[in-house]
Amino acid sequence: MRESISKIDPTELELSDKLVYVNRVAKVVKGGKRLSFSALVVTGDSNGHVGIGVGKAKEVPEAINKAGAIARKNLIKVPLAGATIPHEIRVKFGAARVLLKPAAPGTGVIAGGGIRPVLEAAGIRDVLSKSLGSSSKINVAKVAMLALSQLREPKEELAKRKLVLNETAEERGFSEDVKVGGGEG
């Protein structure tokens, strides 16, 4: 059940890029080592929009530019509850797992590795997190993005569940007072 994700236009947002990680890769060939670089960039507007990108090139600045362009293409909207997330979530991506928990105001971003820049770029200021499994910054950033994309707005989710419950009650022939929201009180 994959929901259609509407593309977010990056030209309308004030995005800031943050370089998280640069990796030098050496390919051994007949004449010696051929060097190449990969860069992980996180972009966001600190107001609920965030994206990550990995760019590869022969030179570092070129890799960073590619990663920034990819990050702008992969923007998502994150539901926020004030300065934190609406609910706890655990997500797995490959060998990387992440746990995100909402926190009280004033707690700050308790996160490390590749999670912190993703949360900060999204505008989340109070959150508790734990990275489990892989310590690869790229995979941890990807799993953090996956977790943020799976967050749901509590009011929308509740309305969706009530709608499904009411439809089920109608199919089974229950009276109006049995349906959710149909009683007094």
Side-chain angles (χ1 to χ4, degrees):
M1 186 178 113
R2 210 154 151 102
E3 293 180 26
S4 63
I5 300 171
S6 61
K7 290 286 181 188
I8 297 169
D9 187 17
T11 56
E12 299 170 0
L13 305 170
E14 284 187 39
L15 298 172
S16 62
D17 290 353
K18 182 166 175 42
L19 177 64
V20 178
Y21 181 62
V22 176
N23 187 31
R24 188 184 80 168
V25 181
K27 180 181 179 184
V28 180
V29 291
K30 187 177 176 183
K33 293 179 183 172
R34 189 166 293 159
L35 295 179
S36 150
F37 298 90
S38 67
L40 172 66
V41 172
V42 176
T43 187
D45 68 346
S46 297
N47 200 18
H49 294 95
V50 67
I52 64 167
V54 179
K56 300 175 184 177
K58 299 287 181 196
E59 302 291 329
V60 175
E62 206 175 315
I64 293 169
N65 290 340
K66 282 184 182 180
I70 293 167
R72 283 184 194 82
K73 286 181 188 172
N74 296 329
L75 284 173
I76 62 165
K77 176 79 176 120
V78 179
L80 299 174
T84 188
I85 57 176
H87 55 86
E88 180 181 325
I89 189 161
R90 292 174 192 243
V91 178
K92 183 176 181 187
F93 176 83
R97 296 191 318 263
V98 74
L99 163 68
L100 298 175
K101 282 184 172 183
T107 304
V109 178
I110 311 295
I115 303 175
R116 177 181 287 273
V118 174
L119 296 176
E120 287 175 346
I124 299 169
R125 291 187 299 277
D126 299 311
V127 68
L128 303 169
S129 73
K130 181 66 183 164
S131 173
L132 307 159
S134 175
S135 61
S136 160
K137 287 195 179 191
I138 294 173
N139 282 347
V140 171
K142 284 182 180 179
V143 77
M145 280 290 290
L146 186 61
L148 293 177
S149 69
Q150 290 180 5
L151 287 172
R152 297 287 166 247
E153 201 70 58
K155 289 178 182 174
E156 291 174 16
E157 193 66 25
L158 189 61
K160 192 187 305 180
R161 290 179 189 183
K162 283 184 178 179
L163 182 69
V164 170
L165 195 60
N166 284 339
E167 287 172 358
T168 308
E170 286 172 3
E171 289 169 7
R172 294 185 180 168
F174 289 115
S175 63
E176 284 292 318
D177 59 319
V178 175
K179 292 181 188 175
V180 175
E184 292 153 27

